[in-house]
């Protein structure tokens, strides 16, 4: 009877702890979850929710311990394996993170988040082809997630598949047109493809959404400079420099463009972000 009462009280602590965590009171939430595992250490859910709160608090070592407790009590727990992978990823333990994510997808093959996380970890590890395979599986499971198309665009650009990368960024933007990061990276990709007018248009789109981003202004200047639009390049560099006055690359690019603006000779290639 006492164990049943303790278990019921532990579930109360879990419920209240979850509410506190949603409200942003992590310290109180962790305290409630710790009381839950003290009252009912046999509950895998209690250890799991404690791990989530510790993750959110940046206590990854303790989170790992909590997830292991949950998995010890319930080995077939793909959500716990996924979260364990996340905690290892935050510590840049790529092999351990990948192994945990693989456990998650072995137990639940349709687990979109785990496939996506596995791809991110493999990419961080430098295993680009396996990362691509995991990302394609995530895309198959979640074709309407703008994040997976964005991540795929970045990975394909790293692998040198620039046309496929462009298509992925465009698909991401079709799903989320205000994704400033996707616009910035697509603009950078267009510079690599020497499609400078497309790059200028794309950086301008990004700047309409985030006009205080000095990197977009700087890269817009570089794209205009490479396209031969020197007056526009000067204006963009000046705006970038007003936002980041101590940046030596922006200052150098501006001075080079000014020096050659009224000559027939083009300035040296600018540095881009």
């Amino acid at each position: 009877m006492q164990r049943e009462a303790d278990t019921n009280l532990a579930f109360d602590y879990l419920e209240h702890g979850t509410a506190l965590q949603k409200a942003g009171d992590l310290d109180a939430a962790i305290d409630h979850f710790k009381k839950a595992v003290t009252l009912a250490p046999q509950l895998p859910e209690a250890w799991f929710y404690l791990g989530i709160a510790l993750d959110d608090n940046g206590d990854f070592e303790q989170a790992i311990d909590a997830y292991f407790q949950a998995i010890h009590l319930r080995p077939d727990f793909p959500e716990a394996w996924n979260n364990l992978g996340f905690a290892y990823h935050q510590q840049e333990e790529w092999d351990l993170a990948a192994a945990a994510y693989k456990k998650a997808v072995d137990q639940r093959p349709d687990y979109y988040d785990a496939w996506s996380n596995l791809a991110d970890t493999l990419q961080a590890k430098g295993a680009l082809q396996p990362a691509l395979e995991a990302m394609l599986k995530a895309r198959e499971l979640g074709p309407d997630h703008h994040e997976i198309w964005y991540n795929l665009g970045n990975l394909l650009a790293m692998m040198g598949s620039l046309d496929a990368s462009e298509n992925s960024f465009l698909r991401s933007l079709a799903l989320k047109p205000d994704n400033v990061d996707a616009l910035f990276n697509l603009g950078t990709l267009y510079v690599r493809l020497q499609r400078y007018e497309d790059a200028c248009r794309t950086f301008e789109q990004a700047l309409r959404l985030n006009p205080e981003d000095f990197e977009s202004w700087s890269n817009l200047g570089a794209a205009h400079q490479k396209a031969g639009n020197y007056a526009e390049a000067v204006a963009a560099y000046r705006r970038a420099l007003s936002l980041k006055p101590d940046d030596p690359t922006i200052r150098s690019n501006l001075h080079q463009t000014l020096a050659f603006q009224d000559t027939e000779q083009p300035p040296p290639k600018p540095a881009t972000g």
Side-chain angles (χ1 to χ4, degrees), residues 2 12 20 27 29 41 54 62 67-69 73 90 106 110 112 133 140 160-161 164 187 202 217 222 236:
Q2 183 60 47
D12 287 341
L20 288 164
D27 290 338
L54 291 166
Q62 292 186 60
Y67 292 134
F68 268 121
Q69 289 287 347
L73 293 164
Q90 298 309 304
D106 285 346
D110 64 348
Y112 166 84
E133 293 167 7
E140 175 188 329
S161 300
T202 305
W217 282 110

Side-chain angles (χ1 to χ4, degrees), residues 214 218-219 222 225 237 241 244-256 270-273:
F214 80 91
S218 178
N219 281 14
Q225 184 174 336
Y237 285 141
L241 204 58
K244 189 79 170 177
D246 298 329
D247 190 293
T249 299
I250 299 172
R251 189 173 298 279
S252 173
N253 287 344
L254 173 59
H255 289 166
Q256 289 172 2
T272 58

